[in-house]
Amino acid sequence: MASALELARQLREAFPDLIAAPTEFRGEVTLVVLDPDRVPDVCRHAKDTLGFDMLLDLSSVDNYGDDPRWLVVYELMGLAHGQHLRLKTAVSEEKSGLPTVSAIWRTADWHEREVFDMMGIRFSGHPDLRRILMWDGYPYHPLRKDFPLAGKETSLPEVAFTRQAPLEGGPFVTVASTAESIAREPRARNPQE
Amino acid sequence: MDTTALTPSTRLQTEFGYNSKIEGEVVHTQLDSALNWFRKNSLWPMPMGLACCAIELMAAGASRFDISRFGSEVMRFSPRQSDVMIVAGTVTYKMALAVRRIYEQMAEPKWVIAMGACASTGGMYRSYAVLQGVDNIVPVDVYVAGCPPRPEALLDALIKLQEKVGREPITKTLKRDVAPLKYGRLGLEISATSIEETRKNKA
């Protein structure tokens, strides 16, 4: 049975000029797709030919200040061979969009809605690209790095309103340690300190 | 005894007039106290379970803690039939106007218990998504500390609310007459549009 690295190499052979060499870290294999517009082609091949019939997760990273700003991450899994493969693709801030893979794995539908809701990356060809966590009409994308943790004031009559949260002393954060629970529990801590 | 000897007037006296046999079963009280006693011993909750506090609320309703000892076992999932809204959990902004709408649908007299840190102040969620205390949108009678509070704490809050209900001078100021048009700490009015107007007026 083929290993994840072997499957990654096979995927790269099918798209030699589109996929960079696979990297392996702690037993997990990652491929970088150079052109986000061709991600559906790669995914279609991975599903139909290499048996990656399950999309575990679809998420995004905001590398604020870098160019390209967005990184969209696909976690692939094959139930028959049990191998896991990660695809990454960078998306520029001007574009802030790429084609959907919801026609390949239906689970991508809600994942892409969540990425759109929280990060503001649009997926072209998506059947129903509405917000999924915040309400329709909320004007911001709250997981962007330039969105303040305290939030911003909004008002949508009869639907919802938001206010800035008081952040005296910083957000509530836990501390990972073996100390007693009083030392570990969430308290106002300034991340700058 | 020959009943035929009794005149109609003596029979009336015997049946409807002063009867020394029932003297010990009559209780004199004030109307206030009587009505309050009826109210406070059957406070039917509207379980506004929004997060993990609702699990403790369920425990308070189950046999081990048994909220029915205090007359509140009838959880009504309709605001029309409930007296006290127990806000158990994190109130997000997405849910906030729904919570207030349900509060408005409850018939007077009505009370609110804010159960747990999140419902009372927003708790550890100092975030763009969480209302910082349900008292921003509805008037709260009793706050319960804890994350989540144990069922005993909720029962204690219920007993405190019963004491509060028992002190209300309801015949002098019927609650519906003094019900606030503006709700909560920020003096919010009913609709979201009027929230904006209220805020402008305050600024």
Side-chain angles (χ1 to χ4, degrees):
Chain A
M1 194 167 283
S3 69
L5 199 59
E6 181 57 35
L7 289 165
R9 286 204 187 96
Q10 288 178 22
L11 187 59
R12 193 185 176 209
E13 279 161 23
F15 301 91
D17 52 348
L18 188 60
I19 297 178
T23 53
E24 189 170 3
F25 180 68
R26 290 185 180 166
E28 296 183 356
V29 181
T30 304
L31 284 176
V32 176
V33 182
L34 299 173
D35 181 4
D37 287 335
R38 296 202 51 202
V39 163
D41 302 339
V42 177
C43 289
R44 174 60 74 186
H45 185 80
K47 184 185 180 187
D48 292 350
T49 316
L50 301 176
F52 286 103
D53 48 2
M54 185 176 177
L55 181 69
L56 291 177
D57 196 7
L58 192 166
S59 58
S60 62
V61 182
D62 180 3
N63 295 310
Y64 183 55
D66 292 359
D67 189 42
R69 180 173 175 181
W70 313 115
L71 190 66
V72 182
V73 186
Y74 302 78
E75 309 280 349
L76 276 53
M77 163 97 185
L79 288 175
H81 51 63
Q83 299 298 333
H84 167 253
L85 179 65
R86 183 180 297 112
L87 299 182
K88 288 181 177 177
T89 187
V91 181
S92 67
E93 187 173 2
E94 309 83 68
K95 210 157 161 267
S96 288
L98 68 166
T100 178
V101 295
S102 57
I104 300 166
W105 298 286
R106 286 185 62 197
T107 186
D109 185 331
W110 281 18
H111 284 134
E112 289 177 350
R113 281 177 66 186
E114 187 180 350
V115 168
F116 162 66
D117 189 358
M118 293 286 117
M119 288 285 196
I121 302 171
R122 304 192 70 87
F123 290 87
S124 56
H126 190 283
D128 184 24
L129 195 65
R130 283 177 297 133
R131 286 180 178 273
I132 191 168
L133 297 172
M134 307 302 278
W135 47 93
D136 282 330
Y138 184 74
Y140 305 111
H141 299 288
L143 279 196
R144 289 185 171 187
K145 287 278 174 66
D146 51 355
F147 184 84
L149 178 65
K152 293 179 178 176
E153 291 219 358
T154 67
S155 176
L156 196 61
E158 305 298 329
V159 178
F161 66 95
T162 57
R163 293 216 177 78
Q164 282 195 313
L167 282 185
E168 296 98 341
F172 277 13
V173 208
T174 50
V175 172
S177 79
T178 54
E180 290 187 347
S181 65
I182 287 182
R184 283 184 280 122
E185 69 184 12
R187 289 193 180 285
R189 291 185 173 95
N190 193 337
Q192 264 74 49
E193 287 168 5
Chain B
M1 190 169 161
D2 184 8
T3 49
T4 55
L6 290 171
T7 63
S9 63
T10 41
R11 196 179 294 137
L12 268 180
Q13 244 180 349
T14 316
E15 290 178 5
F16 303 109
Y18 173 73
N19 185 341
S20 61
K21 285 178 187 161
I22 63 165
E23 186 184 10
E25 296 166 12
V26 173
V27 177
H28 294 273
T29 181
Q30 291 177 307
L31 188 56
D32 268 355
S33 326
L35 291 176
N36 282 337
W37 185 70
F38 304 149
R39 279 183 177 178
K40 76 176 189 182
N41 289 303
S42 65
L43 289 169
W44 290 6
M46 165 81 225
M48 198 74 224
L50 300 171
C52 34
C53 280
I55 302 294
E56 301 298 302
L57 174 62
M58 286 180 243
S63 51
R64 187 180 182 92
F65 298 97
D66 198 6
I67 206 170
S68 71
R69 293 178 291 158
F70 308 97
S72 292
E73 75 276 25
V74 193
M75 298 276 173
R76 292 279 104 172
F77 293 87
S78 159
R80 311 287 185 197
Q81 302 167 349
S82 44
D83 304 303
V84 51
M85 184 159 81
I86 301 178
V87 185
T90 318
V91 187
T92 57
Y93 284 117
K94 198 174 182 178
M95 195 66 190
L97 291 189
V99 172
R100 185 161 60 186
R101 191 185 188 106
I102 289 169
Y103 175 79
E104 283 161 7
Q105 286 172 340
M106 288 166 62
E108 294 278 1
K110 52 189 171 183
W111 297 274
V112 177
I113 294 176
M115 180 182 180
C118 293
S120 301
T121 66
M124 64 177 190
Y125 297 105
R126 293 180 174 178
S127 135
Y128 63 92
V130 176
L131 183 69
Q132 302 293 303
V134 75
D135 54 2
N136 282 299
I137 52 169
V138 294
V140 176
D141 294 281
V142 184
Y143 298 85
V144 191
C147 185
R150 283 193 56 85
E152 295 96 321
L154 182 65
L155 296 178
D156 185 49
L158 183 67
I159 292 166
K160 288 209 160 47
L161 181 63
Q162 287 181 341
E163 288 167 6
K164 183 174 181 177
V165 172
R167 286 195 303 270
E168 283 182 358
I170 52 172
T171 51
K172 292 198 185 80
T173 52
L174 282 172
K175 196 173 164 94
R176 65 168 177 272
D177 294 335
V178 295
L181 288 172
K182 297 179 174 183
Y183 291 141
R185 205 168 49 187
L186 299 180
L188 300 180
E189 287 182 12
I190 291 168
S191 68
T193 5
S194 50
I195 293 177
E196 285 304 291
E197 286 164 13
T198 317
R199 216 180 61 228
K200 276 178 203 146
N201 293 340
K202 282 168 77 88

